[in-house]
Amino acid sequence: MSEKELNIVSGSVYEARLINARSLAESLGPSHGSQAALASTLSLSPSRIAHIIGPNPTKRIGEEMARKIEHAFEKPVYWL
């Protein structure tokens, strides 16, 4: 495992957030446009989104980012 790859433990809150955020992104459009659409909605760069939900994420979705995603998509608090 390289220095930048994450080890997300199966069953962890981080794994759940990753799965749910990827699902949310996929619901926004085709696979290549979904991350860009998510980035646009959150006013973040596509690169930043790739770091958290891409095929090989290098950042975890923390509390602040989770709340930002929930707010942007009108999801209940702690949905993510």
Coordinates of all heavy atoms in Angstrom, one line a residue:
M1 N 0.9 -1.2 0.0 CA 0.0 0.0 0.0 C 0.9 1.2 0.0 O 1.8 1.3 0.8 CB -0.9 0.0 1.2 CG -1.8 1.2 1.4 SD -3.1 1.1 2.6 CE -2.4 0.2 3.9
S2 N 0.6 2.2 -0.9 CA 1.4 3.4 -1.0 C 1.1 4.3 0.2 O 0.1 4.1 0.9 CB 1.2 4.1 -2.3 OG 0.0 4.8 -2.3
E3 N 1.9 5.3 0.4 CA 1.7 6.2 1.5 C 0.4 7.0 1.4 O -0.2 7.3 2.4 CB 2.9 7.2 1.4 CG 3.2 7.8 2.7 CD 4.4 8.7 2.6 OE1 5.5 8.2 2.3 OE2 4.3 9.9 2.7
K4 N -0.1 7.2 0.2 CA -1.3 8.0 0.0 C -2.6 7.2 0.0 O -3.7 7.7 0.0 CB -1.2 8.7 -1.4 CG -0.2 9.8 -1.3 CD -0.3 10.7 -2.6 CE 0.7 11.8 -2.5 NZ 0.5 12.8 -3.5
E5 N -2.5 5.8 -0.1 CA -3.7 5.0 0.0 C -4.3 4.9 1.4 O -3.5 4.8 2.3 CB -3.5 3.6 -0.6 CG -3.2 3.6 -2.1 CD -2.9 2.2 -2.6 OE1 -3.0 1.2 -1.8 OE2 -2.4 2.1 -3.7
L6 N -5.6 4.9 1.5 CA -6.2 4.7 2.8 C -6.5 3.3 3.1 O -6.9 2.5 2.2 CB -7.5 5.5 2.8 CG -7.4 7.0 3.0 CD1 -8.8 7.6 3.0 CD2 -6.7 7.5 4.2
N7 N -6.5 3.0 4.3 CA -7.0 1.7 4.8 C -8.3 1.9 5.5 O -8.3 2.3 6.7 CB -6.0 1.0 5.7 CG -6.4 -0.4 6.1 OD1 -7.3 -1.0 5.5 ND2 -5.8 -0.9 7.1
I8 N -9.4 1.8 4.8 CA -10.7 2.0 5.4 C -11.3 0.7 5.9 O -11.5 -0.2 5.1 CB -11.7 2.7 4.4 CG1 -11.1 4.1 4.0 CG2 -13.1 2.8 5.0 CD1 -12.0 4.8 3.0
V9 N -11.5 0.6 7.2 CA -11.9 -0.6 7.8 C -13.3 -1.0 7.4 O -14.2 -0.1 7.5 CB -11.8 -0.5 9.4 CG1 -12.3 -1.8 10.0 CG2 -10.3 -0.2 9.7
S10 N -13.5 -2.2 7.0 CA -14.9 -2.7 6.7 C -15.8 -2.5 7.9 O -15.5 -2.8 9.0 CB -14.8 -4.1 6.2 OG -16.1 -4.6 5.9
G11 N -17.0 -1.9 7.6 CA -18.0 -1.7 8.7 C -17.8 -0.4 9.4 O -18.5 -0.1 10.3
S12 N -16.8 0.4 9.1 CA -16.5 1.6 9.8 C -17.4 2.7 9.3 O -18.0 2.6 8.2 CB -15.0 2.1 9.6 OG -14.8 2.5 8.3
V13 N -17.5 3.8 10.0 CA -18.3 5.0 9.6 C -17.7 5.5 8.3 O -18.4 6.0 7.5 CB -18.4 6.0 10.7 CG1 -17.0 6.7 11.0 CG2 -19.4 7.1 10.4
Y14 N -16.4 5.5 8.2 CA -15.8 6.0 7.0 C -16.1 5.2 5.7 O -16.3 5.7 4.7 CB -14.2 6.1 7.1 CG -13.8 7.0 8.2 CD1 -13.3 6.5 9.4 CD2 -14.0 8.3 8.2 CE1 -12.9 7.3 10.5 CE2 -13.7 9.2 9.2 CZ -13.2 8.7 10.4 OH -12.8 9.5 11.4
E15 N -16.3 3.9 5.9 CA -16.7 3.0 4.8 C -18.1 3.3 4.4 O -18.5 3.4 3.2 CB -16.5 1.5 5.1 CG -17.0 0.7 3.9 CD -17.0 -0.8 4.3 OE1 -17.4 -1.2 5.4 OE2 -16.7 -1.6 3.4
A16 N -19.0 3.5 5.4 CA -20.4 3.8 5.1 C -20.5 5.2 4.4 O -21.3 5.3 3.5 CB -21.2 3.8 6.5
R17 N -19.7 6.1 4.9 CA -19.8 7.5 4.2 C -19.3 7.4 2.8 O -19.9 8.0 1.9 CB -18.9 8.5 5.0 CG -19.5 8.9 6.3 CD -18.6 9.8 7.0 NE -19.2 10.3 8.2 CZ -18.5 10.8 9.2 NH1 -17.2 11.0 9.1 NH2 -19.1 11.2 10.3
L18 N -18.2 6.6 2.5 CA -17.7 6.4 1.2 C -18.7 5.8 0.3 O -19.0 6.3 -0.8 CB -16.4 5.6 1.2 CG -15.8 5.3 -0.1 CD1 -15.4 6.5 -0.8 CD2 -14.6 4.4 0.1
I19 N -19.4 4.7 0.7 CA -20.4 4.0 -0.1 C -21.5 4.9 -0.4 O -22.0 5.0 -1.5 CB -20.8 2.7 0.7 CG1 -19.7 1.7 0.7 CG2 -22.1 2.2 0.0 CD1 -19.9 0.5 1.6
N20 N -22.0 5.6 0.7 CA -23.2 6.5 0.5 C -22.9 7.7 -0.4 O -23.7 8.1 -1.2 CB -23.7 7.0 1.8 CG -24.4 5.8 2.6 OD1 -24.8 4.9 2.0 ND2 -24.5 6.0 3.9
A21 N -21.7 8.3 -0.3 CA -21.3 9.4 -1.1 C -21.1 9.0 -2.5 O -21.5 9.7 -3.5 CB -20.0 10.1 -0.6
R22 N -20.6 7.8 -2.8 CA -20.4 7.3 -4.1 C -21.8 7.1 -4.7 O -22.0 7.4 -5.9 CB -19.6 6.0 -4.2 CG -18.1 6.3 -4.0 CD -17.4 5.0 -4.0 NE -15.9 5.2 -4.0 CZ -15.0 4.2 -3.8 NH1 -15.4 3.0 -3.5 NH2 -13.8 4.5 -3.9
S23 N -22.7 6.5 -4.0 CA -24.1 6.3 -4.4 C -24.8 7.6 -4.8 O -25.5 7.7 -5.8 CB -24.9 5.5 -3.4 OG -26.2 5.4 -3.7
L24 N -24.6 8.6 -3.9 CA -25.2 9.9 -4.2 C -24.6 10.5 -5.5 O -25.4 11.0 -6.3 CB -24.9 10.8 -3.0 CG -25.4 12.3 -3.1 CD1 -27.0 12.2 -3.2 CD2 -25.0 13.1 -1.9
A25 N -23.3 10.4 -5.7 CA -22.7 10.9 -6.9 C -23.2 10.2 -8.1 O -23.5 10.8 -9.1 CB -21.2 10.8 -6.8
E26 N -23.3 8.9 -8.0 CA -23.8 8.1 -9.2 C -25.2 8.5 -9.6 O -25.6 8.5 -10.7 CB -23.8 6.6 -8.9 CG -22.4 6.1 -8.9 CD -22.3 4.6 -8.4 OE1 -23.3 4.0 -8.3 OE2 -21.2 4.2 -8.1
S27 N -26.0 8.9 -8.6 CA -27.4 9.3 -8.9 C -27.5 10.7 -9.6 O -28.5 11.0 -10.1 CB -28.2 9.4 -7.6 OG -27.9 10.6 -6.8
L28 N -26.4 11.4 -9.7 CA -26.3 12.7 -10.3 C -26.0 12.6 -11.8 O -26.2 13.6 -12.5 CB -25.3 13.6 -9.7 CG -25.5 13.9 -8.2 CD1 -24.3 14.7 -7.7 CD2 -26.8 14.7 -8.0
G29 N -25.6 11.5 -12.3 CA -25.3 11.4 -13.7 C -24.4 10.2 -14.0 O -24.1 9.4 -13.2
P30 N -24.0 10.1 -15.3 CA -23.1 9.0 -15.7 C -21.8 9.0 -14.9 O -21.4 10.0 -14.4 CB -22.9 9.3 -17.2 CG -23.3 10.7 -17.4 CD -24.3 11.1 -16.3
S31 N -21.2 7.9 -14.9 CA -20.0 7.7 -14.0 C -19.0 8.8 -14.1 O -18.4 9.2 -13.1 CB -19.4 6.3 -14.3 OG -19.0 6.2 -15.6
H32 N -18.6 9.2 -15.3 CA -17.6 10.2 -15.4 C -18.0 11.6 -15.0 O -17.3 12.4 -14.5 CB -17.0 10.3 -16.8 CG -16.2 9.0 -17.2 ND1 -15.1 8.6 -16.5 CD2 -16.5 8.1 -18.1 CE1 -14.7 7.5 -17.0 NE2 -15.5 7.1 -18.0
G33 N -19.3 11.9 -15.2 CA -19.9 13.2 -14.9 C -20.3 13.3 -13.4 O -20.6 14.4 -12.9
S34 N -20.5 12.2 -12.8 CA -21.1 12.2 -11.4 C -20.2 12.9 -10.4 O -20.7 13.7 -9.6 CB -21.4 10.8 -11.0 OG -20.2 10.0 -10.9
Q35 N -18.9 12.6 -10.4 CA -18.0 13.3 -9.5 C -17.9 14.8 -9.8 O -17.9 15.6 -8.9 CB -16.6 12.7 -9.6 CG -16.6 11.3 -8.9 CD -15.1 10.8 -8.8 OE1 -14.2 11.5 -8.9 NE2 -15.0 9.5 -8.7
A36 N -18.0 15.2 -11.1 CA -17.9 16.6 -11.4 C -19.2 17.3 -11.0 O -19.2 18.4 -10.5 CB -17.8 16.7 -12.9
A37 N -20.3 16.6 -11.1 CA -21.6 17.2 -10.6 C -21.6 17.3 -9.1 O -22.1 18.3 -8.6 CB -22.8 16.3 -11.1
L38 N -21.1 16.4 -8.4 CA -21.0 16.5 -7.0 C -20.1 17.6 -6.6 O -20.4 18.4 -5.7 CB -20.5 15.1 -6.4 CG -20.4 15.1 -4.8 CD1 -21.8 15.1 -4.2 CD2 -19.7 13.8 -4.4
A39 N -19.0 17.7 -7.2 CA -18.0 18.8 -7.0 C -18.7 20.2 -7.2 O -18.5 21.1 -6.4 CB -16.8 18.7 -7.8
S40 N -19.4 20.3 -8.3 CA -20.1 21.5 -8.6 C -21.1 21.9 -7.6 O -21.1 23.1 -7.1 CB -20.7 21.4 -10.0 OG -21.4 22.6 -10.3
T41 N -21.9 21.0 -7.1 CA -22.9 21.2 -6.1 C -22.3 21.6 -4.8 O -22.9 22.5 -4.1 CB -23.8 19.9 -5.9 OG1 -24.4 19.6 -7.2 CG2 -24.9 20.2 -4.9
L42 N -21.2 21.1 -4.5 CA -20.5 21.4 -3.2 C -19.5 22.5 -3.3 O -18.9 22.9 -2.3 CB -19.8 20.1 -2.7 CG -20.6 18.9 -2.4 CD1 -19.8 17.7 -2.1 CD2 -21.6 19.2 -1.2
S43 N -19.4 23.1 -4.5 CA -18.4 24.2 -4.7 C -17.0 23.8 -4.4 O -16.3 24.5 -3.7 CB -18.8 25.5 -4.0 OG -20.1 25.9 -4.4
L44 N -16.7 22.6 -4.8 CA -15.3 22.0 -4.6 C -14.7 21.6 -5.9 O -15.4 21.5 -6.9 CB -15.4 20.8 -3.7 CG -15.9 20.9 -2.3 CD1 -16.1 19.6 -1.6 CD2 -15.0 21.8 -1.5
S45 N -13.4 21.5 -5.9 CA -12.8 21.1 -7.2 C -13.0 19.6 -7.4 O -13.2 18.8 -6.5 CB -11.3 21.3 -7.1 OG -10.7 20.4 -6.2
P46 N -13.1 19.2 -8.7 CA -13.3 17.7 -9.0 C -12.1 16.9 -8.4 O -12.4 15.8 -8.0 CB -13.3 17.7 -10.5 CG -13.8 19.0 -10.9 CD -13.2 20.0 -9.9
S47 N -11.0 17.5 -8.3 CA -9.8 16.8 -7.7 C -10.1 16.5 -6.3 O -9.8 15.4 -5.8 CB -8.6 17.7 -7.9 OG -7.5 17.1 -7.2
R48 N -10.6 17.4 -5.5 CA -10.9 17.2 -4.1 C -11.9 16.0 -4.0 O -11.8 15.2 -3.1 CB -11.4 18.5 -3.5 CG -11.8 18.3 -2.0 CD -10.9 19.1 -1.1 NE -11.2 18.8 0.3 CZ -11.8 19.7 1.1 NH1 -12.2 20.9 0.7 NH2 -12.1 19.4 2.3
I49 N -13.0 16.0 -4.8 CA -14.0 15.0 -4.8 C -13.3 13.6 -5.1 O -13.6 12.6 -4.5 CB -15.1 15.3 -5.7 CG1 -15.9 16.5 -5.2 CG2 -16.1 14.1 -5.8 CD1 -16.5 16.4 -3.8
A50 N -12.4 13.6 -6.1 CA -11.7 12.4 -6.4 C -10.9 11.9 -5.3 O -10.8 10.6 -5.1 CB -10.8 12.6 -7.6
H51 N -10.4 12.8 -4.4 CA -9.6 12.3 -3.3 C -10.4 11.7 -2.2 O -9.9 10.9 -1.4 CB -8.9 13.5 -2.6 CG -7.7 14.1 -3.4 ND1 -6.6 13.3 -3.6 CD2 -7.5 15.2 -4.0 CE1 -5.7 14.0 -4.3 NE2 -6.3 15.2 -4.6
I52 N -11.7 12.0 -2.2 CA -12.6 11.4 -1.1 C -13.5 10.3 -1.6 O -13.8 9.4 -0.8 CB -13.4 12.4 -0.4 CG1 -14.4 13.2 -1.3 CG2 -12.5 13.4 0.4 CD1 -15.3 14.1 -0.5
I53 N -13.9 10.2 -2.9 CA -14.8 9.2 -3.4 C -14.3 8.5 -4.6 O -15.0 7.6 -5.2 CB -16.2 9.7 -3.6 CG1 -16.3 10.6 -4.7 CG2 -16.8 10.2 -2.3 CD1 -17.8 10.8 -5.2
G54 N -13.1 8.8 -5.1 CA -12.6 8.2 -6.3 C -12.3 6.7 -6.1 O -12.5 6.2 -5.0
P55 N -11.8 6.0 -7.1 CA -11.5 4.6 -7.0 C -10.5 4.3 -6.0 O -10.5 3.2 -5.4 CB -11.0 4.2 -8.4 CG -11.1 5.4 -9.3 CD -11.6 6.6 -8.4
N56 N -9.6 5.2 -5.7 CA -8.5 5.0 -4.7 C -8.5 6.2 -3.8 O -7.5 7.0 -4.0 CB -7.1 4.7 -5.4 CG -7.2 3.5 -6.2 OD1 -7.5 2.4 -5.7 ND2 -6.8 3.6 -7.5
P57 N -9.4 6.4 -3.0 CA -9.5 7.6 -2.2 C -8.2 7.8 -1.3 O -7.7 6.8 -0.8 CB -10.7 7.5 -1.3 CG -11.0 6.0 -1.3 CD -10.5 5.5 -2.6
T58 N -7.8 9.0 -1.1 CA -6.7 9.3 -0.3 C -7.1 10.1 0.9 O -6.2 10.4 1.8 CB -5.6 10.1 -1.1 OG1 -6.2 11.3 -1.6 CG2 -5.0 9.3 -2.2
K59 N -8.3 10.5 1.0 CA -8.8 11.3 2.2 C -10.1 10.6 2.6 O -10.9 10.2 1.8 CB -9.1 12.7 1.8 CG -8.0 13.5 1.2 CD -7.1 14.0 2.3 CE -6.0 14.9 1.6 NZ -5.0 15.2 2.5
R60 N -10.4 10.7 3.9 CA -11.6 10.2 4.5 C -12.6 11.3 4.5 O -12.3 12.5 4.5 CB -11.4 9.7 5.9 CG -10.6 8.5 6.0 CD -10.5 8.1 7.5 NE -9.8 6.8 7.5 CZ -9.0 6.5 8.5 NH1 -8.8 7.3 9.5 NH2 -8.4 5.3 8.5
I61 N -13.9 10.9 4.5 CA -15.0 11.9 4.6 C -15.2 12.2 6.1 O -15.7 11.3 6.8 CB -16.3 11.5 4.0 CG1 -16.1 11.2 2.5 CG2 -17.4 12.5 4.2 CD1 -17.3 10.6 1.8
G62 N -14.7 13.3 6.6 CA -14.8 13.7 8.0 C -16.2 14.3 8.3 O -17.1 14.4 7.5
E63 N -16.3 14.6 9.6 CA -17.6 15.2 10.1 C -18.0 16.4 9.3 O -19.2 16.6 8.9 CB -17.5 15.5 11.5 CG -17.4 14.3 12.5 CD -18.7 13.5 12.4 OE1 -19.8 14.1 12.4 OE2 -18.5 12.3 12.4
E64 N -17.1 17.4 9.1 CA -17.4 18.6 8.4 C -17.9 18.4 7.0 O -18.9 19.0 6.5 CB -16.2 19.6 8.5 CG -16.5 20.9 8.0 CD -15.3 21.9 8.1 OE1 -14.6 21.8 9.1 OE2 -15.1 22.7 7.2
M65 N -17.1 17.5 6.3 CA -17.5 17.3 4.9 C -18.8 16.5 4.8 O -19.7 16.8 3.9 CB -16.4 16.5 4.2 CG -16.7 16.1 2.7 SD -16.9 17.6 1.7 CE -15.3 18.2 1.6
A66 N -19.1 15.6 5.7 CA -20.3 14.8 5.8 C -21.5 15.8 5.9 O -22.5 15.7 5.3 CB -20.3 13.8 6.9
R67 N -21.4 16.7 6.9 CA -22.4 17.7 7.1 C -22.7 18.6 5.9 O -23.8 18.9 5.6 CB -22.2 18.5 8.4 CG -21.9 17.8 9.7 CD -23.1 17.0 10.2 NE -23.2 15.7 9.6 CZ -22.6 14.6 10.0 NH1 -21.7 14.6 10.9 NH2 -22.8 13.4 9.3
K68 N -21.6 19.0 5.2 CA -21.7 19.8 4.0 C -22.4 19.1 2.9 O -23.3 19.7 2.3 CB -20.3 20.2 3.6 CG -20.3 21.1 2.4 CD -18.8 21.6 2.0 CE -18.9 22.5 0.8 NZ -17.8 23.4 0.7
I69 N -22.1 17.8 2.7 CA -22.8 17.0 1.7 C -24.3 16.9 2.1 O -25.2 17.1 1.2 CB -22.1 15.7 1.5 CG1 -20.7 15.8 1.0 CG2 -23.0 14.7 0.7 CD1 -19.9 14.6 1.0
E70 N -24.6 16.6 3.3 CA -26.0 16.5 3.8 C -26.7 17.8 3.5 O -27.9 17.7 3.0 CB -26.0 16.1 5.2 CG -25.5 14.7 5.5 CD -25.2 14.5 7.0 OE1 -25.2 15.5 7.8 OE2 -25.0 13.3 7.4
H71 N -26.2 18.9 3.9 CA -26.8 20.2 3.7 C -27.1 20.5 2.3 O -28.2 20.9 1.9 CB -26.0 21.2 4.4 CG -26.6 22.6 4.3 ND1 -27.7 23.0 5.0 CD2 -26.3 23.7 3.5 CE1 -28.0 24.2 4.7 NE2 -27.2 24.7 3.8
A72 N -26.1 20.3 1.4 CA -26.2 20.6 0.0 C -27.3 19.8 -0.7 O -27.9 20.2 -1.6 CB -24.8 20.4 -0.7
F73 N -27.5 18.5 -0.2 CA -28.4 17.7 -0.9 C -29.7 17.5 0.0 O -30.5 16.6 -0.3 CB -27.8 16.3 -1.2 CG -26.8 16.4 -2.3 CD1 -25.4 16.6 -2.0 CD2 -27.2 16.4 -3.6 CE1 -24.5 16.8 -3.0 CE2 -26.3 16.5 -4.7 CZ -24.9 16.7 -4.4
E74 N -29.9 18.3 0.9 CA -31.1 18.3 1.8 C -31.4 17.0 2.4 O -32.5 16.5 2.4 CB -32.3 18.9 1.0 CG -32.1 20.3 0.5 CD -33.2 20.8 -0.3 OE1 -34.1 20.1 -0.7 OE2 -33.2 22.1 -0.5
K75 N -30.3 16.4 2.9 CA -30.4 15.1 3.6 C -30.5 15.4 5.1 O -30.0 16.4 5.6 CB -29.2 14.2 3.3 CG -29.1 13.8 1.8 CD -30.2 13.0 1.3 CE -30.0 12.5 -0.1 NZ -31.1 11.8 -0.6
P76 N -31.1 14.5 5.9 CA -31.1 14.7 7.3 C -29.7 14.6 7.9 O -28.8 13.9 7.4 CB -31.9 13.5 7.8 CG -32.5 12.8 6.7 CD -31.8 13.2 5.4
V77 N -29.5 15.3 9.0 CA -28.2 15.3 9.7 C -27.9 13.8 10.1 O -28.8 13.1 10.5 CB -28.3 16.2 10.9 CG1 -27.0 16.1 11.7 CG2 -28.5 17.6 10.5
Y78 N -26.7 13.5 9.9 CA -26.1 12.1 10.1 C -26.6 11.1 9.1 O -26.5 9.9 9.3 CB -26.4 11.6 11.6 CG -25.8 12.6 12.6 CD1 -26.6 13.3 13.4 CD2 -24.4 12.7 12.7 CE1 -26.0 14.2 14.3 CE2 -23.9 13.6 13.6 CZ -24.7 14.3 14.4 OH -24.1 15.2 15.3
W79 N -27.2 11.5 8.0 CA -27.6 10.6 6.9 C -26.3 10.0 6.4 O -26.3 8.8 6.0 CB -28.3 11.4 5.8 CG -28.6 10.6 4.6 CD1 -29.6 9.7 4.4 CD2 -27.8 10.5 3.4 NE1 -29.5 9.2 3.2 CE2 -28.4 9.6 2.5 CE3 -26.6 11.2 3.0 CZ2 -27.9 9.3 1.3 CZ3 -26.1 10.9 1.7 CH2 -26.8 10.0 0.9
L80 N -25.2 10.8 6.3 CA -24.0 10.3 5.7 C -23.1 9.8 6.8 O -22.3 10.3 7.4 CB -23.3 11.4 4.9 CG -22.2 11.0 4.0 CD1 -22.6 10.0 3.0 CD2 -21.6 12.3 3.3

